[in-house]
Amino acid sequence: MAKFQKSSKNIRLAFLINLLFSIGEFIGGLFTNSVAIMSDAIHDFGDAVALGLSWFLQRFSNKDKDENFSFGYQRFSLLGALINAIVLIAGSIYIFFQAVPLLFNPEHSNALGMIWFAIAGVLLNGYAAFRLHKGKSVNEGALSWHMLEDVLGWVAVLIVGIVLLFKDIHILDPILSIAIALFIVVNVIRNLVKTLKILLEGVPEGVDVEKVQSTIENIPGVLSVQHLYIWSIDGEENALNLHLLVKKSDFDDSDAIKDKIREATSGLQISHSTIELNWESN
């Protein structure tokens, strides 16, 4: 439960930072006459909405199992990760549409104002990204890309602002925006694939099913593994379903065999397991 509370606090922090800073960006965009900052303000406000939803879903995932969800509500955090991936991809597409026209008709902005806003953006969003990156949940992993996108966006604004203090090369703004959007899309797609694999009950990352089966079959009393299923519940905790054929002489000691199996799979973060035993025919 403690880990879920920590995840919820990290997501709440990211939500509050994004919401408050997006409001500041609207004001700053008008003050600096920067289309890039105004566009980022709209994007950040969309992020804040997604973050708020993820915060709610992360807290909702803390609920204990009931008659509706016998495994509990842990997978609701994956729904938040899925929604955030979709929002990030949509936001990146929005950036493309905003940045491409500026390649042909760059806007002039208040360079000094851009620099000050960029410094604040890097510090605030950088801190939130660091907190989320340290989290272990899939939802936090997806959200950390939200904050990293904002950090990189503000680094781009900072670089452009510094350059504009000395040279009138406003086309740098849309070029950097497009590069950042491409970088984010590639990484978000990777996280989206990971999330979908969990939702589709794929084998957890780092788990070698054949090796697990071989280890279990080497346990004294086990003749063969007839069925072996391993899947992830929420990206952190895994479940195992196992059907074994055991020696008839060892069947009375089934609890000992099950204990050995749980010991052999102790490094797989398995929180739910079902082990069925069949004895050999005469």
Side-chain angles (χ1 to χ4, degrees):
M1 183 64 69
K3 69 176 181 179
F4 290 118
Q5 291 175 347
K6 185 175 180 181
S7 296
S8 181
K9 289 180 179 179
N10 287 339
I11 295 172
R12 179 183 61 184
L13 172 66
F15 163 66
L16 292 174
I17 288 177
N18 253 49
L19 179 62
L20 294 176
F21 201 68
S22 63
I23 295 173
E25 282 182 279
F26 279 114
I27 299 172
L30 293 173
F31 174 74
T32 60
N33 191 33
S34 171
V35 177
I37 292 180
M38 287 295 291
S39 297
D40 199 66
I42 296 173
H43 180 68
D44 279 356
F45 184 75
D47 283 356
V49 173
L51 286 162
L53 179 61
S54 293
W55 177 28
F56 169 76
L57 289 173
Q58 188 71 34
R59 295 186 65 186
F60 194 70
S61 69
N62 296 344
K63 293 179 62 177
D64 294 328
K65 63 181 181 179
D66 56 23
E67 65 276 7
N68 294 316
F69 294 92
S70 59
F71 258 117
Y73 288 75
Q74 289 171 253
R75 281 202 167 187
F76 276 77
S77 64
L78 293 175
L79 181 59
L82 182 62
I83 293 173
N84 272 278
I86 294 172
V87 170
L88 268 177
I89 293 174
S92 297
I93 293 173
Y94 171 79
I95 290 175
F96 286 132
F97 278 102
Q98 291 295 312
V100 171
L102 292 176
L103 292 173
F104 307 98
N105 187 26
E107 297 280 346
H108 292 267
S109 307
N110 183 328
L112 188 60
M114 290 175 65
I115 290 173
W116 284 113
F117 268 96
I119 292 174
V122 169
L123 292 176
L124 291 173
N125 289 286
Y127 174 69
F130 174 73
R131 287 285 298 271
L132 287 171
H133 185 69
K134 290 177 64 178
K136 296 182 179 180
S137 73
V138 174
N139 204 12
E140 286 176 290
L143 294 175
S144 68
W145 284 109
H146 270 288
M147 308 312 297
L148 179 59
E149 178 185 21
D150 293 337
V151 170
L152 294 175
W154 282 112
V155 169
V157 173
L158 179 61
I159 294 173
V160 170
I162 293 173
V163 171
L164 292 179
L165 283 177
F166 304 98
K167 291 188 177 182
D168 188 16
I169 314 177
H170 294 277
I171 198 173
L172 288 177
D173 188 6
I175 289 176
L176 286 172
S177 297
I178 291 172
I180 292 169
L182 286 172
F183 172 76
I184 294 298
V185 165
V186 170
N187 286 284
V188 167
I189 288 176
R190 289 176 181 172
N191 198 79
L192 179 60
V193 170
K194 180 180 178 181
T195 302
L196 290 175
K197 183 179 179 181
I198 296 172
L199 289 172
L200 295 173
E201 299 186 347
V203 176
E205 290 186 5
V207 175
D208 187 333
V209 176
E210 291 184 359
K211 184 177 179 180
V212 173
Q213 178 171 332
S214 176
T215 300
I216 295 173
E217 287 180 338
N218 286 329
I219 295 175
V222 176
L223 293 176
S224 66
V225 175
Q226 297 179 323
H227 300 286
L228 172 61
Y229 307 105
I230 304 175
W231 68 98
S232 180
I233 299 172
D234 62 351
E236 297 179 70
E237 297 183 2
N238 300 327
L240 178 144
N241 191 308
L242 187 61
H243 196 167
L244 299 174
L245 179 64
V246 299
K247 293 180 180 179
K248 188 173 183 179
S249 59
D250 294 328
F251 190 75
D252 291 337
D253 200 16
S254 60
D255 288 339
I257 294 177
K258 291 181 179 181
D259 288 339
K260 289 179 181 179
I261 292 172
R262 292 190 176 96
E263 181 181 351
T265 59
S266 60
L268 302 180
Q269 287 77 51
I270 293 175
S271 58
H272 301 275
S273 62
T274 302
I275 302 174
E276 297 183 15
L277 305 180
N278 278 355
W279 59 95
E280 62 179 339
S281 301
N282 292 327

